Amino acid sequence: SEPMTGLQRDLYPPIERLENGRLQLDELHTMHWEVAGNPDGQPAVFLHGGPGAGASADHRRFFDPGHYRIVLYDQRGCGRSTPLAETRANTTQHLVADLERLRTHLGIERWLLFGGSWGSTLALAYAQAHPERVSGLVVRGVFLCRPHEIDWFLTGMRAFFPEAWERFAGYLPEAERGDLLAGYLERLNDPDPAVHVPAARAWAMYEGACSTLLPSPETVAAFGEDKLALSLARLEATYFANGVFLRENQLLDEAGRITDIPGVIVQGRYDVICPIASAYELSRAWPRAQYVVVPDAGHSAMEPGVRRALVAATERMKGQA
C-alpha cells in the first residue's frame, strides 16, 4: 500500500458532502453552501480566509465526520457564490448577517465557529454580534485588522520576504509605489481583464509566497489561479482600504462579549502574514480560550504543526453544544 502522506495522517479522511444549496442573500448576491459529516451531529461552520478565498473540500477534514455536522460556505463575492469578486454590498456587516441567515436556513440553534486569518476576524465579529449563537470558537492565524496589521501586510512583510515583496511592489510603476494599496485598487477594479487579472495574480502570489514557513511552490501556484486570485485580491484590497468596515480596535475592545465562550487560539510562531502579537493580545483579552503556539509553523492552516493543533482543537470542542 502507498505510504501515507503527513496530510492524510494528520487530518480526517476526505468525505463527500451530504447536501448543498444556494441561498439568495439580496438582489445581487447568492451564497453557495454545503453540509457534510453527521447530519444529526454537533454543528460547526468553517469560515474561510481572504476576504475572498473561498472554501474547499479539504476544509471538511479538520472535523470528525462522525461527530460534527460540518457546514462550509463561500462568503459573498468568492468561490462558488455569485457574482464573483463583486465589491458592491460587500462589507463585514453583510458577512455577519449572511452567516446568521445561513444558520437560520439550516435550522441550527448554536454552532462552533472555525476560522483562520480573515476567517478568525469574521468569527470574532460574528461571535461578538451574536454570542448566544456560538457554542465555541477555534481561531487560527489571528488577524484583528487594525491599521498597523494592514500596513504590515502591504509593506512590513518585506523584512522577511524581500524577494516576494519586490515582485509585489515592482508590479506597479515606480511613481505609484508610495501607496501600494491605491495603485493595486485602481488596477483590480479596472473592468478590463487584461488589467485586473495580472494585478490580482501579483497580489495573490505575494500572499501565497509569505504564507508558509518553508517554501511551498504548490501554495503559490494555487494562490495564482485566476479565479481565486481575482476575488482574493479585489476583496482584500477593498476591505483593507475601508479598515475592514470595523472600528480601529473593535475586536479587542468588544472581547468582553465573548468572555463566556470556550475556544482555542492556534498560532504559528513564525506567522509572517498575521504576526503572533495579535493572537497573544487576543489570548490576554479572552482568558477562557486555550492559547496554542505552534513552534515550527508559519501562517497556513496546512502547515504540519498547525493542522495537527487544529484537529486537536476540534476534538477539544466536542460536546460544547
Side-chain angles (χ1 to χ4, degrees):
S1 67
E2 291 289 306
M4 289 180 86
T5 66
L7 192 62
Q8 290 167 316
R9 194 170 51 241
D10 295 337
L11 298 180
Y12 286 100
I15 50 167
E16 293 302 312
R17 60 192 185 194
L18 298 171
E19 54 174 328
N20 63 283
R22 299 185 66 73
L23 192 56
Q24 189 76 38
L25 300 171
D26 53 32
E27 60 280 359
L28 183 59
H29 289 278
T30 304
M31 174 200 288
H32 169 90
W33 63 267
E34 56 187 59
V35 174
N38 179 349
D40 302 312
Q42 178 182 348
V45 60
F46 182 95
L47 308 183
H48 65 68
S56 73
D58 271 343
H59 294 152
R60 304 172 191 142
R61 300 178 57 192
F62 292 103
F63 307 89
D64 178 351
H67 177 84
Y68 283 105
R69 181 183 180 194
I70 307 158
V71 180
L72 264 60
Y73 76 106
D74 292 321
Q75 294 156 30
R76 56 173 68 200
C78 62
R80 292 147 293 183
S81 294
T82 54
L84 183 73
E86 178 58 70
T87 58
R88 287 174 297 163
N90 196 334
T91 68
T92 304
Q93 290 71 34
H94 284 102
L95 298 186
V96 168
D98 294 346
L99 203 42
E100 259 305 82
R101 178 169 297 194
L102 179 61
R103 182 191 64 75
T104 308
H105 179 72
L106 295 176
I108 290 168
E109 190 68 28
R110 295 166 81 231
W111 50 4
L112 171 69
L113 305 183
F114 179 112
S117 196
W118 164 255
S120 75
T121 317
L122 183 55
L124 292 166
Y126 175 89
Q128 290 174 4
H130 303 284
E132 72 288 351
R133 296 301 177 193
V134 181
S135 60
L137 286 162
V138 174
V139 293
R140 167 205 58 87
V142 171
F143 185 42
L144 301 175
C145 293
R146 295 166 292 179
H148 71 268
E149 294 174 74
I150 294 169
D151 289 343
W152 172 263
F153 178 87
L154 292 167
T155 57
M157 295 199 301
R158 71 188 293 186
F160 288 89
F161 290 100
E163 306 88 351
W165 187 84
E166 286 290 342
R167 288 191 295 272
F168 173 61
Y171 182 77
L172 298 178
E174 197 158 350
E176 294 184 51
R177 290 177 204 163
D179 188 344
L180 296 175
L181 187 53
Y184 267 98
L185 263 176
E186 186 182 329
R187 287 160 178 78
L188 293 168
N189 288 323
D190 190 295
D192 184 355
V195 177
H196 66 235
V197 169
R201 293 189 76 230
W203 176 292
M205 291 172 80
Y206 166 61
E207 184 168 341
C210 301
S211 67
T212 54
L213 180 64
L214 301 177
S216 171
E218 306 77 31
T219 303
V220 179
F223 272 80
E225 190 272 313
D226 285 357
K227 199 176 148 190
L228 169 62
L230 180 61
S231 59
L232 183 76
R234 186 183 285 167
L235 292 180
E236 282 187 347
T238 301
Y239 272 65
F240 289 176
N242 288 282
V244 305
F245 307 98
L246 297 173
R247 292 190 314 281
E248 185 160 322
N249 209 41
Q250 183 172 332
L251 297 177
L252 282 182
D253 289 345
E254 302 284 325
R257 298 181 60 78
I258 61 169
T259 307
D260 297 330
I261 298 176
V264 182
I265 300 165
V266 173
Q267 181 71 30
R269 169 68 68 190
Y270 301 109
D271 184 338
V272 172
I273 289 183
C274 297
I276 192 169
S278 295
Y280 180 72
E281 288 175 80
L282 179 63
S283 75
R284 299 295 297 266
W286 179 30
R288 178 114 196 243
Q290 182 193 25
Y291 177 47
V292 179
V293 177
V294 182
D296 56 352
H299 181 67
S300 170
M302 293 302 179
E303 300 252 27
V306 174
R307 62 185 188 237
R308 286 193 290 269
L310 288 170
V311 169
T314 61
E315 287 298 295
R316 181 186 178 93
M317 299 309 291
K318 283 181 176 178
Q320 301 286 354

